[in-house]
């Protein structure tokens, strides 16, 4: 059950509190800004070299993952975010279907996995800045200097945290312009130069034969890769937490999702091929090859002076991505905490309404992980396990999200949905079912030890992953079990779940309008599910 609430009648869902002022940030995010925020949240150019190693078969992986994961995530998130635009994001969606306990699990998984993920993303930013010199051999040496990497990692993360402190308007602008400068423009430069290199007739480092497009799935490692690439597209749902700050969200949110999805697939496919054109497979380095590819392309195009500029731009892109990810899950966790699901310590906000205590605790955890990751070489294998753990936790959240979308089509069939997956319930079962099964496959294969990384005993590797997964999934259940009435913040603007307004039961039938704002209509009677 949800945390005990005062006996007074809850205000109509979506209604403002007496004397409340309009939120200054309402309508602050345009279609263009949201599309860029989505691209920045999902696209990371640092992952392209890993896929370039597979040549043209990477196209198959990207398209397959887009069909069975990105498209379902995008469509489901669009329906859920516009059908339930009240605050809460994935917590709202899962809670509407399965109650607050499972909703809290979903939100906690999102916040935990992104906290552990930060050091790997930030390391790429440090490597980018190392390549701002004119001597590539010296740049490679600097990028391998652990103290340099640690200093840059912590500087970028804490800067992103302080930017997030400034509120929605500030971090949205940083995300938009940082994404344009550090992700969109570098991606376009990479693609244009890469394909110019192809059309020039220069020697290619990859075979472009059609027969190589479909991978050899008799090799089990290729099956594991096909599942692992799903998480390249993770994050499209994350900015749904800001749906109430989007101008005309019922129309603009789905448009932004569509635009960012198409752009994401194009950047991944074309960018990966561009790197494969110029970097030999045997020479690919997961942290340096993107920068080396830019350097080689600029040298070929006789504009080598642009290499340091591009390195700085990529670092700015990392900052924009970190700001987006720092702000999104922490804002969602704040909403959940103030609704009564976490102690008051976690509910502290500054004058901009940002979750300062959550952000600071997250920053301290990231700092500790970064020190271990960068400074102590003996923990590299352990960090590989933690990195894989982030994938598992994220997929748990996705399984709950897809299951909630399918269930809500029948349990709240009358709920107004400005955007609705076409095809009726069959369409939802098809789209949501494909996403659920794809996520489940990826989750199962996440426990398979990676063939390209030495992890010691495979049995120990799998055992540690299972234990850590069970423990971290159990944590939100434990917090939920000990929640206290006084945890609920009287200033919380978390609207009641639709089923709460309809009578307090998950299977209580509801009429159109409940939970959508305005005066709550009378609760209907009859069998559950009508």
């Amino acid at each position: 059950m949800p945390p005990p609430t005062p006996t007074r009648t809850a205000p109509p869902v979506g209604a403002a509190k007496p004397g409340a002022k309009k939120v200054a940030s309402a309508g602050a995010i345009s279609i263009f800004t949201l599309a860029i925020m989505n691209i920045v949240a999902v696209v990371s150019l640092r992952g392209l070299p890993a896929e370039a190693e597979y040549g043209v078969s990477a196209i198959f992986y990207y398209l397959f993952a887009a069909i069975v994961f990105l498209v379902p995530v995008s469509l489901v998130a669009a329906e859920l975010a516009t059908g339930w635009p009240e605050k809460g994001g994935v917590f709202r969606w899962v809670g509407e279907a399965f109650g607050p306990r499972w909703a809290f699990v979903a939100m906690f998984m999102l916040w935990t996995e992104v906290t552990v993920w930060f050091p790997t993303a930030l390391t790429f930013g440090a490597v980018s800045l190392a390549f701002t010199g004119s001597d590539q051999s010296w740049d490679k040496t600097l990028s391998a200097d652990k103290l340099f990497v640690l200093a840059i990692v912590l500087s970028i993360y804490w800067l992103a945290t302080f930017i997030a402190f400034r509120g929605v308007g500030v971090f949205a602008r940083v995300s938009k312009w940082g994404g344009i400068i550090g992700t969109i423009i570098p991606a376009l430069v990479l693609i244009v130069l890469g394909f110019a290199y192809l059309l020039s007739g220069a020697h290619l480092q990859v075979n472009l034969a059609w027969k190589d497009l479909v991978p050899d799935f008799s090799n089990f490692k290729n099956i594991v890769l096909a599942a692992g690439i799903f998480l390249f597209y993770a994050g499209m749902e994350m900015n749904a937490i800001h749906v109430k700050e989007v101008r005309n969200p019922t129309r603009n949110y789905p448009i932004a999702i569509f635009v960012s999805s198409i752009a994401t697939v194009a950047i991944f496919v074309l960018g990966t091929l561009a790197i494969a054109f110029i970097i030999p497979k045997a020479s690919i380095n997961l942290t340096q090859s993107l920068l080396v590819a830019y350097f080689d392309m600029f040298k070929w195009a006789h504009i080598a002076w642009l290499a340091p500029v591009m390195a700085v731009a990529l670092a700015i892109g990392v900052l924009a991505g970190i700001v987006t990810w720092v702000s999104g899950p922490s804002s969602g966790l704040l909403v959940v905490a103030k609704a009564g699901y976490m102690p008051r310590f976690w509910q502290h906000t500054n004058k901009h309404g940002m979750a300062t205590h959550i952000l600071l605790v997250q920053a301290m955890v990231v700092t500790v992980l970064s020190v271990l990751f960068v400074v102590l070489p003996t923990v590299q294998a352990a960090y590989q396990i933690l990195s894989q753990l982030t994938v598992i936790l994220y997929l748990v959240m996705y399984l709950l999200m897809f299951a909630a979308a399918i269930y809500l089509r029948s349990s709240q069939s009358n709920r107004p949905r400005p955007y609705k997956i076409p095809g009726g319930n069959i369409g939802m079962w098809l789209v949501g079912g494909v996403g659920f099964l794809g996520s489940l496959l990826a989750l199962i294969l996440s426990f398979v030890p990676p063939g390209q990384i030495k992890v010691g005993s495979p049995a120990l590797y799998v055992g540690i992953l299972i234990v850590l997964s069970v423990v971290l999934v159990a944590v939100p259940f434990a917090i939920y079990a000990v929640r206290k009435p006084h945890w609920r913040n009287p200033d919380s603007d978390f609207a009641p779940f639709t089923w709460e307004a309809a009578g307090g039961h998950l299977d209580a039938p509801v009429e159109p309008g409940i939970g959508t704002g305005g005066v709550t209509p009378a609760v209907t009677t009859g069998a559950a599910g009508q």
Side-chain angles (χ1 to χ4, degrees):
M1 65 174 62
T5 56
T7 55
R8 60 183 176 81
T9 303
V13 177
K17 295 177 183 178
K21 297 180 180 179
K22 290 185 178 180
V23 180
S25 59
I29 303 178
S30 65
I31 291 179
F32 179 70
T33 298
L34 182 60
I36 296 297
M37 289 174 66
N38 284 334
I39 293 171
V40 171
V42 175
V43 173
S44 174
L45 300 183
R46 71 185 180 91
L48 300 187
E51 304 314 313
E53 189 174 344
Y54 293 90
V56 294
S57 64
I59 299 175
F60 176 90
Y61 292 125
Y62 281 128
L63 294 180
F64 175 76
I67 292 170
V68 302
F69 188 75
L70 176 63
V71 171
V73 167
S74 301
L75 296 180
V76 165
E79 174 166 328
L80 292 175
T82 55
W84 289 266
E86 300 86 2
K87 285 188 174 181
V90 70
F91 179 86
R92 164 76 56 185
W93 309 336
V94 175
E96 289 283 356
F98 307 123
R101 180 184 286 106
W102 285 105
F104 187 55
V105 171
M107 179 56 70
F108 193 83
M109 293 299 97
L110 177 60
W111 184 78
T112 303
E113 69 83 19
V114 75
T115 300
V116 180
W117 166 83
F118 280 126
T120 55
L122 288 162
T123 298
F124 173 70
V127 171
S128 298
L129 287 177
F131 277 80
T132 56
S134 57
D135 186 339
Q136 192 177 19
S137 61
W138 188 87
D139 293 344
K140 289 182 179 179
T141 302
L142 182 61
S143 70
D145 186 288
K146 293 176 181 178
L147 292 180
F148 170 80
V149 171
L150 178 61
I152 298 301
V153 163
L154 296 183
S155 297
I156 293 178
Y157 186 82
W158 281 95
L159 176 60
T161 298
F162 288 122
I163 290 173
F165 281 174
R166 301 295 297 171
V168 172
V170 174
F171 76 68
R173 287 194 296 273
V174 171
S175 179
K176 179 177 74 172
W177 291 110
I180 292 172
I181 295 170
T183 299
I184 306 299
I185 292 177
L188 292 175
V189 170
L190 178 68
I191 293 168
V192 169
L193 285 181
F195 280 82
Y197 182 86
L198 167 68
L199 297 175
S200 72
H203 175 68
L204 299 181
Q205 303 294 340
V206 63
N207 186 3
L208 296 180
W210 284 105
K211 63 183 181 64
D212 296 323
L213 185 62
V214 179
D216 177 16
F217 285 113
S218 63
N219 185 341
F220 185 69
K221 292 180 181 178
N222 287 338
I223 299 177
V224 174
L225 175 66
I229 206 171
F230 287 6
L231 269 294
F232 268 59
Y233 293 121
M236 191 62 73
E237 82 297 332
M238 191 265 293
N239 283 311
I241 189 67
H242 304 303
V243 69
K244 298 205 78 170
E245 283 84 42
V246 176
R247 299 169 191 162
N248 190 8
T250 57
R251 170 185 176 272
N252 292 349
Y253 186 88
I255 294 175
I257 285 285
F258 176 78
V259 171
S260 52
S261 297
I262 297 298
T264 295
V265 175
I267 290 172
F268 278 144
V269 171
L270 300 179
T272 297
L273 289 177
I275 294 175
F277 292 158
I278 200 166
I279 302 291
K281 177 179 179 181
S283 302
I284 289 179
N285 178 289
L286 300 186
T287 58
Q288 298 179 354
S289 286
L290 178 63
L291 282 304
V292 172
Y294 277 114
F295 183 88
D296 290 347
M297 288 178 182
F298 289 147
K299 185 177 180 181
W300 168 79
H302 305 292
I303 50 174
W305 58 270
L306 269 179
V309 176
M310 187 56 61
V312 173
L314 289 170
I316 292 173
V318 171
L319 173 63
I322 296 300
V323 168
T324 302
W325 279 96
V326 164
S327 305
S330 62
S331 297
L333 194 63
L334 173 65
V335 171
V336 172
K338 293 177 73 172
Y341 298 94
M342 296 184 73
R344 287 295 183 93
F345 170 84
W346 299 92
Q347 303 176 25
H348 185 271
T349 59
N350 61 13
K351 64 181 181 180
H352 301 291
M354 300 305 294
T356 47
H357 283 185
I358 292 176
L359 289 169
L360 288 173
V361 169
Q362 182 172 268
M364 286 185 265
V365 174
V366 170
T367 299
V368 172
L369 289 175
S370 298
V371 170
L372 293 175
F373 177 46
V374 174
V375 174
L376 302 178
T378 57
V379 301
Q380 295 300 309
Y383 194 83
Q384 170 59 29
I385 292 177
L386 290 179
S387 298
Q388 198 64 16
L389 182 63
T390 65
V391 175
I392 294 169
L393 299 179
Y394 212 162
L395 288 169
V396 170
M397 187 216 74
Y398 277 119
L399 288 171
L400 289 170
M401 187 184 83
F402 284 123
I406 295 172
Y407 182 78
L408 287 170
R409 267 297 184 97
S410 59
S411 66
Q412 295 191 26
S413 59
N414 290 332
R415 175 85 180 198
R417 292 164 167 83
Y419 172 80
K420 196 171 185 178
I421 293 175
N425 288 344
I426 294 177
M428 171 56 80
W429 272 98
L430 178 62
V431 173
V434 167
F436 184 91
L437 293 176
S439 299
L440 182 60
L441 172 64
L443 177 65
I444 294 171
L445 293 179
S446 295
F447 289 95
V448 177
Q452 72 276 23
I453 298 174
K454 294 181 180 179
V455 294
S457 168
L460 180 62
Y461 175 89
V462 174
I464 292 175
L465 270 182
I466 292 175
V467 170
L468 289 175
S469 300
V470 170
V471 169
L472 288 177
V473 171
V475 168
F477 284 108
I479 296 175
Y480 185 87
V482 300
R483 68 199 188 284
K484 307 296 182 184
H486 66 269
W487 288 3
R488 183 175 179 86
N489 194 315
D491 294 329
S492 172
D493 57 356
F494 184 82
F497 289 112
T498 305
W499 50 266
E500 287 181 296
H505 301 285
L506 283 171
D507 59 351
V510 297
E511 289 188 352
I514 293 184
T516 60
V519 179
T520 303
V523 178
T524 60
T525 58
Q530 283 184 320

